[in-house]
Amino acid sequence: MDNPIRLHWLDPRDPRQPFPPAHLAMREPNGLLAIGGDLSTPRLLNAYAQGIFPWYNADEPILWWCPDPRAVLPPEQLHVSRSLARRIRRRDVEIRFDSAFDAVLAGCAAPRQGTRGTWLGADMQRAYRQLFAEGHAHCIEVWRDDRLIGGLYGVAIGQMFYGESMFSAETDASKLALYWLCLHLRAWGYVLLDCQVYSPHLGSLGAVELPRDLFLERARPAAQRAGHPGRWKFDPTVAE
């Protein structure tokens, strides 16, 4: 009889506790690696630097994941459809970086149509606000007439950007945020935009799946390189 799979428990009193090797993650559910711990900045930075991220519902303990395969979007491979290209050319919105992180979090946390509740609970929001305050998390915002209509946020470690969530209050708003993010990441030399888990929607934008070993082979060295420090600022010339 095979030995049962046991999840690795993390001690909430030790935020610098090492994570188990990624190959020990469960196959079902895909990528579940550890449970427990806390959402302190040291633990989150340690996790992201190793390609691990938290994802859990408010009524669950903290769950840590490293799925196989991994969905990624190389910044230079973003697919711009004809309709999105037309929307970009209209220049009828304003793009801002890092000016309304709390509002972007709230937009991403709002329940989606056909669902109840959100995985982005109060504890998660506090943790990402702290990452933002310390310069590790960033947001891309789409505004119309001083009204936030879409955006996304994620965590930057070295030359890796770990995308977390996006939202749209108008058609294509989150795609516009993704377009401008990819242009900046490409200009700054970032290696990959991590999308975590593949979906047909992400695939239509150019995301692909990499075997976990290959993803980690590319992501971990990139996370050790110098990234783009400080608060991010929108630069329209990256499109030229």
Side-chain angles (χ1 to χ4, degrees):
M1 182 176 179
D2 293 336
N3 291 327
I5 296 175
R6 295 181 179 178
L7 280 178
H8 186 89
W9 282 84
L10 299 176
D11 185 348
R13 300 165 299 179
D14 183 8
R16 301 187 185 279
Q17 178 184 5
F19 283 89
H23 72 269
L24 296 180
M26 297 177 67
R27 294 184 179 179
E28 185 59 41
N30 180 14
L32 182 56
L33 178 64
I35 186 169
D38 64 354
L39 296 174
S40 63
T41 294
R43 195 184 302 270
L44 285 169
L45 294 180
N46 182 29
Y48 279 107
Q50 299 181 64
I52 300 165
F53 59 88
W55 184 34
Y56 65 102
N57 295 317
D59 58 349
E60 298 174 332
I62 302 172
L63 304 176
W64 301 89
W65 304 78
C66 191
D68 185 15
R70 190 67 164 255
V72 299
L73 177 57
E76 69 279 3
Q77 293 183 21
L78 175 70
H79 174 69
V80 178
S81 66
R82 291 182 179 179
S83 61
L84 180 57
R86 288 194 296 269
R87 184 67 191 274
I88 294 167
R89 289 194 296 268
R90 281 162 56 183
R91 299 294 177 107
D92 60 346
V93 298
E94 180 185 0
I95 308 298
R96 304 177 193 171
F97 283 12
D98 284 356
S99 78
F101 191 82
D102 287 2
V104 171
L105 272 185
C108 292
R112 309 299 169 92
Q113 185 175 5
T115 66
R116 294 187 299 174
T118 176
W119 63 270
L120 190 51
D123 289 345
M124 291 278 276
Q125 293 186 51
R126 279 194 294 270
Y128 286 109
R129 282 197 293 268
Q130 185 62 35
L131 285 177
F132 175 74
E134 298 185 29
H136 305 295
H138 301 277
C139 66
I140 290 78
E141 310 144 24
V142 183
W143 296 81
R144 182 193 300 284
D145 301 326
D146 285 328
R147 182 172 68 90
L148 183 66
I149 62 169
L152 62 83
Y153 81 96
V155 178
I157 306 288
Q159 292 180 349
M160 282 291 302
F161 187 83
Y162 293 91
E164 276 296 324
S165 188
M166 59 176 62
F167 81 99
S168 287
E170 291 188 10
T171 301
D172 288 340
S174 63
K175 292 181 182 179
L176 289 172
L178 183 63
Y179 168 77
W180 285 108
L181 171 63
C182 284
L183 288 186
H184 284 75
L185 293 181
R186 185 172 62 187
W188 295 337
Y190 277 60
V191 175
L192 290 174
L193 192 168
D194 175 43
C195 302
Q196 299 180 349
V197 179
Y198 183 87
S199 70
H201 172 67
L202 290 171
S204 72
L205 296 169
V208 297
E209 289 185 304
L210 293 180
R212 181 170 56 213
D213 288 348
L214 180 56
F215 166 75
L216 295 175
E217 184 180 306
R218 297 182 63 182
R220 285 173 173 170
Q224 301 302 314
R225 301 173 193 154
H228 193 75
R231 291 286 174 90
W232 287 1
K233 294 182 179 180
F234 174 66
D235 179 6
T237 66
V238 298
E240 296 175 357

